[in-house]
Amino acid sequence: MRIVGEWMASTPKMPVLFLGHGSPMNAVEENEFVTGFRDISKEIETPQAIVVISAHWETQGTKVTAMEQPATIHDFGGFPKELYDIQYPAPGMPQLAREVKRMAASTEVVLDEKWGLDHGAWTVVRPMYPKANIPVIELSLDYYKTPQQHYELARELYSLRHKGVLIVGSGNLVHNLGMIRWQQLNECYGYDWANEANDKMKELILDGNHQALVGYSKLGKAFELSIPTPEHFLPLLYAVALQDKNEEIKFFNDKPVGGSLTMTSLKIG
C-alpha cells in the first residue's frame, strides 16, 4: 500500500458500488447474488482501502470506524450457527478515518472505536475480497440528516476515488420487510409496485437525475411502499453523489425476491 506521509498517493479513479445486500444468509450460501458480488470485484482494480456506508449503522451524528482491527458484528437473530461463526478479520485504517473526518466540511464526523463491521458490510465485502487483507472502514448514517444532507456529505468524499479507495453503499433499492413473502424469499418475485419503483430508480440513475432520487418521498405510492424507512435507500445516495457526468453505469443482481425486496446492485465507472 503506497502511503505518502499520513495519506495515500494519487491513483487512477476507482469505481463506486451500490450493493443490494439482502439476507445475511448470502454469507453462507452460494447463489447468483454472491456470484454477482464476486464477479464485479474482478472488474475492479484491487483497492487500497474500502469505505462502506451500511444501512445497518444508524447513529445520532455521523461516525466513522477508526480502530486498527474492527470486530465482525453479527447484528441479526434467528439464523443458523454457521452464520454466527463467520469472522471477517479485515484490518481497519485509522488514517483513512481521519481523512474522512477532515474531508467532511458540512458535518462533524466522530472517530468511533466501538462499532466494527456489521452485516451490511462484511456479507458483501467478504465474497469480493475473501482474504480479508484490504482495510475496511464504515461511515454511519446520521438519522437526523435529510436525504439532501446525506448527498452533500457524500460529494465531499469524492477525492477518495483518486486515492485507491473503493466506496460501497450497502442497502436495498426496495426494502419493505413488513410486506415480504418469506416463503418466496428464494424466488425471483416482485410485487408490481416493487418492480415499478425499482425500474424508475434505475431510469433516474441512468439519467443522472440525482435530485429526483434525493426527493424520493415525492415520487408516489410505489416509492412509499418500497422505502417505508430510509436506511436501506440512503446508501444509494452516497453512491450516485460520486457519479461523474456521462460515467458508465452497470447494473447487476437486478432481481426482486420475496415480493418486496430487490437485490439490484450497480457499479459506477
Side-chain angles (χ1 to χ4, degrees):
M1 189 177 299
R2 297 171 61 207
I3 303 291
V4 177
E6 271 285 285
W7 191 231
M8 296 177 180
S10 295
T11 66
K13 184 171 64 175
M14 292 292 291
V16 180
L17 299 178
F18 172 80
L19 301 178
H21 64 242
S23 169
M25 287 299 291
N26 289 326
V28 294
E29 294 176 348
E30 273 296 328
N31 57 42
E32 63 183 300
F33 306 123
V34 173
T35 298
F37 300 147
R38 189 177 295 126
D39 287 348
I40 206 69
S41 70
K42 298 173 184 176
E43 300 180 12
I44 299 171
E45 187 75 23
T46 301
Q48 296 187 36
I50 300 170
V51 176
V52 180
I53 300 93
S54 167
H56 294 282
W57 193 23
E58 293 184 278
T59 55
Q60 181 177 345
T62 302
K63 299 183 179 183
V64 63
T65 55
M67 66 286 289
E68 293 281 355
Q69 190 63 56
T72 303
I73 303 173
H74 301 88
D75 51 331
F76 40 71
F79 290 93
K81 181 179 182 298
E82 62 179 324
L83 187 56
Y84 298 91
D85 289 341
I86 292 177
Q87 295 293 312
Y88 187 70
M93 194 173 189
Q95 65 266 46
L96 175 54
R98 290 192 294 270
E99 181 70 359
V100 168
K101 177 179 175 67
R102 184 194 66 79
M103 295 170 70
S106 67
T107 192
E108 176 65 24
V109 176
V110 175
L111 299 178
D112 178 86
E113 298 277 353
K114 297 180 180 179
W115 189 244
L117 301 179
D118 59 57
H119 82 270
W122 64 264
T123 64
V124 293
V125 175
R126 181 171 174 264
M128 296 174 66
Y129 305 106
K131 294 181 180 179
N133 58 350
I134 298 172
V136 183
I137 70 170
E138 278 199 48
L139 181 67
S140 76
L141 293 171
D142 178 0
Y143 47 70
Y144 288 108
K145 284 191 182 303
T146 64
Q148 182 65 39
Q149 289 172 321
H150 285 288
Y151 181 88
E152 290 169 0
L153 171 57
R155 287 294 301 165
E156 294 169 352
L157 305 180
Y158 177 85
S159 65
L160 292 178
R161 295 188 66 184
H162 291 276
K163 295 182 178 180
V165 177
L166 177 63
I167 299 175
V168 178
S170 177
N172 292 96
L173 296 190
V174 175
H175 186 272
N176 187 332
L177 291 187
M179 298 184 71
I180 201 163
R181 288 189 179 181
W182 294 104
Q183 68 274 22
Q184 291 181 278
L185 192 56
N186 294 318
E187 299 178 21
C188 179
Y189 171 72
Y191 297 120
D192 288 345
W193 52 263
N195 293 329
E196 176 188 340
N198 198 72
D199 287 346
K200 182 63 176 178
M201 289 178 204
K202 291 189 294 179
E203 177 186 324
L204 294 171
I205 292 166
L206 289 172
D207 289 344
N209 192 343
H210 298 172
Q211 283 308 302
L213 292 165
V214 168
Y216 68 88
S217 62
K218 302 174 184 177
L219 294 179
K221 187 66 174 180
F223 277 75
E224 181 181 330
L225 290 168
S226 298
I227 313 171
T229 56
E231 75 284 349
H232 277 76
F233 182 79
L234 290 174
L236 173 70
L237 299 185
Y238 281 81
V240 299
L242 299 166
Q243 176 186 358
D244 284 328
K245 189 175 182 180
N246 300 322
E247 197 163 19
E248 181 183 358
I249 305 289
K250 177 179 179 176
F251 292 103
F252 59 100
N253 287 358
D254 187 18
K255 289 189 176 181
V257 294
S260 60
L261 186 73
T262 59
M263 295 296 291
T264 304
S265 302
L266 62 111
K267 172 178 168 280
I268 298 171

